[in-house]
Amino acid sequence: MTRCKHMLKYLLIVVFLIIGAYLIIQGVRCKKAVQEGRIRLEEYGAKNIELSYGKMSYVDKGKGDVILSVHGIFGGYDQAYDTCADFVSDYRILAPSRFGYLGSNILGNGTPEEQASAYVELLDKLGIDRVYVLSTSAGGSIAIRFALDYPERTMGLILYCSAMPLTEKPVKYAEYAGPPEFLCNDFAMFLISPLFGPIMGMDSSTIYSMTPVSDRKSGVVLDATVTNPDMARNFETYDIENLHVPILILHSKDDRLASYEDTVNALTRFPDYTFISFEDGGHLMVGREHEVHEAVVNFINVTSIRKQSD
């Protein structure tokens, strides 16, 4: 019995030492990743603009028709720009940080309606009349809201593994749809990054594009409490059947974060859409970059021809 107790004690000490070593190593790696993340952000050359309610940070590169990139959760101007970087040789990419992300203030309650109105103010300040709105993930509700509220400013709507509207008003829904607030910091997210694959179908290295998480926390919490539940909470205000803009919908069947099934079900509500699905690629469309690029360019070309003939 005494020998068993000594063995158990020894094992516990070893386990605690391993855990302690892991935490120390991850802490060092996290600190380095945050430092490198801040350096990486400086390379985007983001600009700041003062709007009526406060500041918005954005990247503005390229020439031609404008693609307004609406990023997802844990994003910012970097994620918004990276999503559209392949298009910068052909189009002007406008990639703002949404409310609470990387240097952007929050207007009012930060609703999708308010975020869409902030985009319009940004466009007015930059002298941009109309845009193609491209959204990913949690940005979907803002992009759809923009197209509904400002069809005269929307040349086309591109939903890229995006949140989608429901087909009917839900009896109940998640009031908080996002990661727990206590996880919204650099160290916690770094610790759980090895689980990104089995849980979200994304490589653990994705954490490096999310750091510094601390600079995105306000946006993440806003998405979880306001943005993500909005199409359920305010179902009646999303009159999808009366969208008056052409729509391109792209989605991977193996997307673990934005349901492919929900996207297919929502198609019945869109009046003028093109749907392209992929067998794989996950939430980030990994390995599908060429096909996505081809689909978006073709959509913009066809839409431009249609508008010229109207």
Side-chain angles (χ1 to χ4, degrees), residues 164 166-167 240-241 249 262-271 273:
M164 299 294 281
L166 304 175
T167 54
I240 305 300
E241 289 77 6
I249 300 171
D262 289 348
T263 295
V264 172
N265 291 337
L267 293 178
T268 58
R269 298 194 63 192
F270 291 98
Y273 72 89

Side-chain angles (χ1 to χ4, degrees), residues 247-251 260 263-264 267 273-278:
I247 302 156
L248 172 64
I249 300 171
L250 305 160
H251 216 106
Y260 178 82
T263 295
V264 172
L267 293 178
Y273 72 89
T274 299
F275 177 52
I276 299 176
S277 68
F278 301 103

Side-chain angles (χ1 to χ4, degrees), residues 86-249:
D86 288 344
F87 306 117
V88 75
S89 60
D90 301 304
Y91 307 105
R92 180 178 176 183
I93 306 304
L94 183 59
S97 290
R98 293 199 287 107
F99 287 180
Y101 286 101
L102 296 184
S104 287
N105 296 137
I106 299 172
L107 166 64
N109 295 317
T111 64
E113 182 179 6
E114 289 166 323
Q115 296 200 46
S117 69
Y119 280 155
V120 170
E121 188 176 348
L122 173 65
L123 297 181
D124 289 343
K125 288 267 190 177
L126 298 179
I128 298 172
D129 183 31
R130 305 177 74 196
V131 297
Y132 288 94
V133 185
L134 185 152
S135 74
T136 58
S137 196
S141 56
I142 292 96
I144 292 171
R145 188 75 266 160
F146 184 98
L148 284 168
D149 295 347
Y150 307 100
E152 73 284 358
R153 309 296 293 266
T154 309
M155 290 191 288
L157 174 63
I158 303 166
L159 302 174
Y160 180 117
C161 280
S162 169
M164 299 294 281
L166 304 175
T167 54
E168 59 183 24
K169 185 176 177 61
V171 176
K172 59 181 180 178
Y173 60 89
E175 292 283 352
Y176 189 96
E181 190 170 349
F182 73 87
L183 285 180
C184 297
N185 65 77
D186 294 298
F187 187 55
M189 291 303 298
F190 213 88
L191 284 179
I192 68 171
S193 61
L195 300 176
F196 285 3
I199 295 176
M200 299 181 289
M202 297 190 297
D203 195 276
S204 60
S205 63
T206 305
I207 185 64
Y208 294 102
S209 65
M210 295 164 56
T211 53
V213 175
S214 54
D215 293 1
R216 310 175 199 261
K217 180 176 180 178
S218 295
V220 173
V221 174
L222 180 65
D223 277 347
T225 55
V226 177
T227 308
N228 291 343
D230 199 67
M231 286 195 282
R233 182 179 290 145
N234 298 299
F235 176 83
E236 298 85 354
T237 70
Y238 284 85
D239 190 11
I240 305 300
E241 289 77 6
N242 286 318
L243 272 169
H244 298 297
V245 301
I247 302 156
L248 172 64
I249 300 171

